[in-house]
Every structure is written in C-alpha cells, then in structure tokens.
C-alpha cells in the first residue's frame, strides 16, 4: 500500500512538490522571494497551432494519474465515482457546498496574496501569460477544471483513504495531505504555502465529514477559473 501511494504521488502531485521546493530554492538563491514571479499558464510555443496543441496535451496527460487512481480504487460491482462522491446523486447539496467553499477560500485568498506581497514572502503570481487567441479562455477554463479534478481526487478521494488503511488517524492524515498541498505551491512563495495548507485542512475535514469530492472539485475549479481568466482584475500580475 505504501509503495502504491508513493508511485501515484511520484507520477503526480508528489513530483510537483519536489519541483516546487527546488524552484523555491532557486528563486531564493537569486533574489528576495518577493522579486520572483510565478506563471501558472505559460506559452508553450510561439506558433498558435502548436501552442494550442501543447496546452491540450498538458491538460490530458496531467489527468492520466487520475485515471490510474480510478483504476486502483475500483472494486467489482461498485462505482468508483460513487465511492468517492464524484457523481450527481446530490446536485443541490453539492452545488450549495461548492458555493460555500468558494466564498470561504476565494475571498480570503485575495487578501492573503496581497498580504504576502506586502510582507515580501510571496512571488508575483501571473495566472496567465497566454497570447490572446479564440481558444485562450476555453483552455484556461479546462486548465482550471484539470487542477480541481487532479488535486481533489488524488488528495482527498484517494490519499486520505489510503492513509487511513496504512494506519494514520483522520486528523493526522488530513494534516499530512494539507502539508503536501501546501508544498507543491511553494514555488509561489510562503504565503501560498500557508493559504493552501489551510485550504487543505478545510477540504480534508469536509471530505471526511461528507465523503463527497464533487463539491471540492467544483469549488477549486471555480476559484482557478476566476484567477486564470480575471487575474489582473483580481489583483494578480498581468
């Protein structure tokens, strides 16, 4: 079980965490962290067709570990989507929960970013540096959905359950997963690490309480859609 967890993380979020720590050390070795920048959606090619192709391929292959998790969680005669609460059984309740989480994490995150910049512990975050094409906004929306599905399915739908089987108590697992969530945001600075750690605690508690990953995915995706498409208007870098 431990080997399985390490392999899944090594192919997905754990790999991102390692790169994030190295990126942070690189930025700190060059200048104060406040002088660094973090681009979330970067141009992959200066030719439109190939940039679009790379963006779509990035989104698709980033979701392959999610497909692996579905395979590992599958049990004969049971729906893996139902088991982790990624279905349409409770659309109204899930929608209301997602909106509540959106308010709880969305508005404070803007204040935390501004505070982190003022304190010099957060890089300038550029949500999108993509050129303006007809497909730019749709790709940013897909990228946000990708992030919501990837992170919430692996962290909550998969990892919390596996840590419980390994023997960790509920809160020990929630704290560990929250630390992992914060760690792969360290390339953005210490402010985003703190914010995502707190978000991880909240999301982990919500998942343990209701066993539904759907509202977490929706809330996460909506926050990222707003950030990616309205970044400068929300106070992020251009």
């Amino acid at each position: 079980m431990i080997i399985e967890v390490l392999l899944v993380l090594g192919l997905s979020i754990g790999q991102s965490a390692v790169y994030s720590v190295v990126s942070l050390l690189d930025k700190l070795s060059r200048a104060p962290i406040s002088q660094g920048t973090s681009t979330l959606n970067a141009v992959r090619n200066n030719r439109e067709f190939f940039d679009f192709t790379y963006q779509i391929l990035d989104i698709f292959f980033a979701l392959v570990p999610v497909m692996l998790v579905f395979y590992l969680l599958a049990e004969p005669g049971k729906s893996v989507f139902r088991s982790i609460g990624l279905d349409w059984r409770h659309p109204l309740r899930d929608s209301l929960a997602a909106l509540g989480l959106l308010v709880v994490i969305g508005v404070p995150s803007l204040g935390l970013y501004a505070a982190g910049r003022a304190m010099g512990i957060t890089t300038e975050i550029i949500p999108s540096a993509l050129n303006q094409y007809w497909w730019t906004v749709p790709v940013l929306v897909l990228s946000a959905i990708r992030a919501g599905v990837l992170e919430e399915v692996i962290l909550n739908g998969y990892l919390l359950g596996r840590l419980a089987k390994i023997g960790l108590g509920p809160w020990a697992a929630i704290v560990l997963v929250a630390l992992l969530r914060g760690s792969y945001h360290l390339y953005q600075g210490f402010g985003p690490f703190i914010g995502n750690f707190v978000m991880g605690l909240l999301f982990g508690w919500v998942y343990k309480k209701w066993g539904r990953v759907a509202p977490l995915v929706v809330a996460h995706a909506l926050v990222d859609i707003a950030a990616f498409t309205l970044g400068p208007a929300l106070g992020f870098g251009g």
Side-chain angles (χ1 to χ4, degrees):
M1 186 69 71
I2 295 177
I3 298 299
E4 177 196 293
V5 168
L6 291 176
L7 288 174
V8 169
L9 293 180
L11 292 171
S12 57
I13 290 171
Q15 180 184 137
S16 298
V18 172
Y19 277 106
S20 185
V21 171
V22 174
S23 177
L24 175 66
L25 294 175
D26 180 27
K27 290 172 181 176
L28 288 172
S29 68
R30 294 173 182 268
I33 192 65
S34 61
Q35 295 181 20
T37 59
S38 301
T39 302
L40 307 187
N41 293 278
V43 173
R44 296 295 308 279
N45 194 281
N46 58 10
R47 291 186 290 175
E48 180 181 355
F49 172 78
F50 287 101
D51 193 16
F52 174 73
T53 301
Y54 280 125
Q55 301 294 337
I56 295 299
L57 289 175
D58 281 350
I59 292 169
F60 173 78
F61 283 111
L63 291 174
V64 171
V66 175
M67 301 175 201
L68 173 61
V69 162
F70 289 154
Y71 175 79
L72 294 171
L73 291 177
E75 297 181 39
K78 296 182 180 180
S79 168
V80 65
F81 301 104
R82 189 182 183 94
S83 67
I84 65 173
L86 189 61
D87 55 20
W88 298 102
R89 277 182 297 158
H90 307 290
L92 180 59
R93 190 176 74 181
D94 286 346
S95 298
L96 292 175
L99 289 175
L101 289 170
L102 176 63
V103 172
V104 171
I105 66 174
V107 176
S109 66
L110 297 178
L112 183 62
Y113 174 68
R117 292 291 293 157
M119 295 170 62
I121 61 172
T122 300
T123 65
E124 179 184 9
I125 297 177
I126 303 174
S128 173
L130 298 183
N131 296 318
Q132 293 302 310
Y133 300 120
W134 66 266
W135 50 262
T136 300
V137 171
V139 162
L140 290 174
V141 170
L142 288 175
S143 179
I145 295 172
R146 177 270 313 271
V149 172
L150 174 67
E151 296 180 36
E152 305 314 329
V153 168
I154 292 181
L155 289 178
N156 294 298
Y158 169 77
L159 190 54
L160 284 179
R162 285 303 196 250
L163 291 177
K165 289 186 176 181
I166 290 172
L168 265 68
W171 274 107
I174 289 172
V175 171
L176 183 60
V177 170
L179 285 170
L180 178 58
R181 186 191 292 267
S183 69
Y184 60 77
H185 288 90
L186 271 170
Y187 72 97
Q188 300 172 9
F190 297 105
F193 169 82
I194 296 170
N196 279 278
F197 172 72
V198 174
M199 175 180 169
L201 294 178
L202 173 62
F203 275 30
W205 176 78
V206 169
Y207 183 74
K208 281 292 188 180
K209 185 175 178 64
W210 286 309
R212 304 278 304 160
V213 80
L216 308 182
V217 170
V218 174
H220 189 148
L222 289 176
V223 168
D224 283 359
I225 288 172
F228 293 173
T229 62
L230 302 171
L234 294 176
F236 294 102

